[in-house]
């Protein structure tokens, strides 16, 4: 996998590679900055390649985001489904398998969700996928569910947005896409799913391309220093004394154990994110810097309270 | 350094300033003790993020 990313980075100019879709996941075994795949992914982002990563399919429990979806810089994607009724959004819901944040370093992930249920695509009969999952292959089309599939949807949106505005930086593009998303809300206006499950909500391709909000992503992070090992970052998520996860400085974003309901919810733009909502304010009001001085054990234990 | 220990470099991973190598446990131990090397990781597997839910999704 690292060789593949290496190849993409090395050939980015020659082939004008702007988007890298990573529809895979592995269990996180270290901090994001210590993981070799994550390091390669960070270099890709540093070189202005927009990396879209699968959240993983270990949901719906909290803290199930895999590598490289736990890398704070990249766009991490969870899955929702139309419940087989594409014309009826009222039964759309989060996919139960979709991995949820926060990450061990306290970042809110996934950033966004996209259709990832029973997705169909052309696949050759001699491909590894068709071989491994013949039950999902009809000889021409392959149909499968997963955050892999949702990830590819967002990669497509990124390509569309770059086609319209090729000068956008990866951080600007991330902001455009996530701030155009539509969160799922209940009738009373509260979030239908925790921010750690749905992120900013379901991706909206048209709104993302048209969106001119560009300064909301990866604020306060410093990727050069992160790669070089001078600084590492923690996000605004925290855990309270009862084990609930929340975003520091905000009320009402609690992770609830009710998990993923069976009812559908409307994905709407009616939800008012407060100004304090820090997508990615790694070192904002409530974020903090990791320092190299922390030992591995201390840093793992202290991700909840180093304010 | 890997070659000096008798290990076999299988891939250059320039994007992260690293190499992949086939090593015995003894060679790994020797290399870990070398402070010119920052970290050594086992190779691992990743999975395609595709779900097989009990109910159709």
């Amino acid at each position: 996998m690292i060789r593949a990313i290496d190849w993409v980075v090395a050939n980015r100019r020659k082939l004008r590679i702007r988007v890298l879709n990573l529809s895979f996941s592995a269990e996180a075994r270290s901090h994001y900055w210590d993981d070799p795949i994550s390091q390669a992914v960070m270099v890709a982002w540093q070189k202005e390649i927009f990396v879209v990563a699968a959240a993983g399919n270990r949901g719906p429990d909290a803290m199930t985001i895999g590598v490289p979806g736990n890398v704070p810089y990249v766009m991490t994607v969870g899955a929702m489904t139309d419940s087989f009724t594409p014309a009826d959004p009222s039964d759309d819901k989060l996919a139960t398998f979709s991995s949820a944040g926060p990450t061990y370093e306290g970042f809110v992930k996934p950033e966004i969700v996209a259709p990832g249920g029973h997705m169909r695509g052309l696949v050759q009969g001699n491909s590894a996928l068709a071989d491994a999952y013949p039950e999902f292959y009809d000889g021409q089309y392959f149909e499968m569910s997963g955050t892999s599939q949702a990830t590819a949807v967002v990669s497509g949106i990124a390509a569309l947005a770059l086609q319209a505005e090729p000068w956008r930086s990866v951080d600007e593009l991330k902001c455009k896409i996530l701030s155009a998303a539509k969160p799922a809300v209940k009738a009373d206006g509260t979030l239908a799913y925790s921010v750690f499950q749905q992120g900013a909500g379901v991706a909206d391709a048209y709104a993302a391309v048209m969106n001119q909000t560009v300064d909301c992503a990866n604020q306060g992070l410093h990727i050069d220093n992160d790669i070089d090992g001078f600084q590492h970052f923690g996000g605004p998520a925290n855990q309270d004394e009862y084990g609930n996860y929340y975003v520091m400085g905000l009320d009402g974003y609690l992770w609830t154990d009710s998990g993923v309901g069976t009812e559908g919810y409307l994905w709407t733009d009616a939800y008012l994110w407060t100004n304090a909502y820090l997508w990615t304010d790694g070192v904002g009001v409530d974020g903090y810097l990791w320092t190299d001085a922390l030992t591995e054990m201390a840093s793992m234990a202290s991700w909840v309270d180093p304010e | 350094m890997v070659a000096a220990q008798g290990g076999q470099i299988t891939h250059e991973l320039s994007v992260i300033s690293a190499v992949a190598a086939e090593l015995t446990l003894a060679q790994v131990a020797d290399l870990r003790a070398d402070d010119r090397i920052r970290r050594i990781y086992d190779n691992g597997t990743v999975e395609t993020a595709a779900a097989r839910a009990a109910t159709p999704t």
Side-chain angles (χ1 to χ4, degrees):
Chain A
M1 193 54 65
I2 296 168
R3 287 165 61 209
I5 298 169
D6 189 289
W7 187 92
V8 167
V9 170
N11 288 281
R12 68 188 188 280
R13 291 209 180 88
K14 188 167 78 183
L15 301 177
R16 298 184 191 172
I17 298 170
R18 301 290 303 276
V19 179
L20 174 58
N21 183 86
L22 299 178
S23 287
F24 70 88
S25 188
E27 204 165 336
R29 295 188 296 181
S30 68
H31 286 306
Y32 72 86
W33 56 83
D34 278 335
D35 184 277
I37 288 179
S38 297
Q39 289 172 351
V41 163
M42 285 160 64
V43 172
W45 191 269
Q46 183 189 39
K47 306 293 185 195
E48 288 293 325
I49 298 169
F50 191 75
V51 181
V52 190
N57 300 327
R58 295 192 192 86
D61 292 341
M63 298 197 82
T64 50
I65 302 287
V67 172
N70 65 339
V71 175
Y73 303 93
V74 306
M75 180 69 100
T76 302
V77 186
M80 48 81 69
T81 175
D82 65 7
S83 302
F84 298 91
T85 58
D88 175 13
S90 72
D91 59 359
D92 289 3
K93 57 180 190 262
L94 193 74
T96 50
F97 55 75
S98 191
S99 286
T103 69
Y104 281 96
E105 290 81 28
F107 285 96
V108 179
K109 295 270 184 178
E111 270 90 0
I112 204 164
V113 297
H118 57 93
M119 302 295 280
R120 280 167 77 78
L122 279 171
V123 163
Q124 286 193 327
N126 60 358
S127 72
L129 265 182
D131 235 22
Y133 305 99
E135 66 272 33
F136 300 128
Y137 187 54
D138 67 6
Q140 187 176 10
Y141 285 96
F142 190 80
E143 185 171 309
M144 210 173 199
S145 300
T147 54
S148 281
Q149 284 70 13
T151 301
V153 171
V154 174
S155 288
I157 294 172
L160 274 177
L162 280 173
Q163 192 175 13
E165 297 178 331
W167 59 86
R168 289 297 182 200
S169 72
V170 285
D171 288 341
E172 289 177 337
L173 182 57
K174 181 176 179 181
C175 178
K176 273 171 67 82
I177 296 173
L178 74 82
S179 65
K182 308 286 185 276
V185 296
K186 295 188 238 183
D188 64 4
T190 59
L191 288 177
Y193 307 108
S194 157
V195 69
F196 301 117
Q197 294 169 300
Q198 64 165 323
V202 71
D204 182 325
Y206 181 81
V209 172
M210 302 305 286
N211 186 14
Q212 292 301 306
T213 304
V214 295
D215 292 328
C216 66
N218 296 351
Q219 306 285 311
L221 302 180
H222 197 303
I223 194 165
D224 296 344
N225 285 350
D226 212 343
I227 290 170
D228 292 341
F230 298 130
Q231 284 184 309
H232 300 299
F233 299 92
N238 207 332
Q239 194 175 23
D240 70 15
E241 58 196 297
Y242 307 109
N244 295 312
Y245 297 98
Y246 66 102
V247 176
M248 293 187 281
L250 289 185
D251 295 325
Y253 289 84
L254 280 176
W255 166 275
T256 54
D257 239 355
S258 56
V260 180
T262 51
E263 51 204 307
Y265 297 101
L266 281 176
W267 302 81
T268 170
D269 54 5
Y271 196 82
L272 292 175
W273 297 100
T274 70
N275 287 334
Y277 186 58
L278 325 154
W279 255 110
T280 29
D281 246 357
V283 289
V285 186
D286 298 300
Y288 49 85
L289 279 173
W290 291 95
T291 69
D292 267 347
L294 290 172
T295 67
E296 194 77 5
M297 281 304 288
S299 57
M300 287 305 287
S302 67
W303 75 273
V304 288
D305 61 348
E307 279 186 275
Chain B
M1 284 177 274
V2 169
Q5 290 291 341
Q8 184 71 43
I9 290 181
T10 57
H11 306 292
E12 302 275 348
L13 305 173
S14 62
V15 70
I16 55 169
S17 306
V19 296
E22 300 277 356
L23 296 164
T24 65
L25 288 175
Q27 289 165 343
V28 169
D30 286 343
L31 286 169
R32 273 196 208 285
D34 189 326
D35 55 16
R36 290 172 297 173
I37 290 179
R38 206 160 143 198
R39 284 207 168 74
I40 298 176
Y41 294 92
D42 289 338
N43 200 0
T45 56
V46 299
E47 59 201 35
T48 52
R52 283 195 271 188
T55 53
T57 299

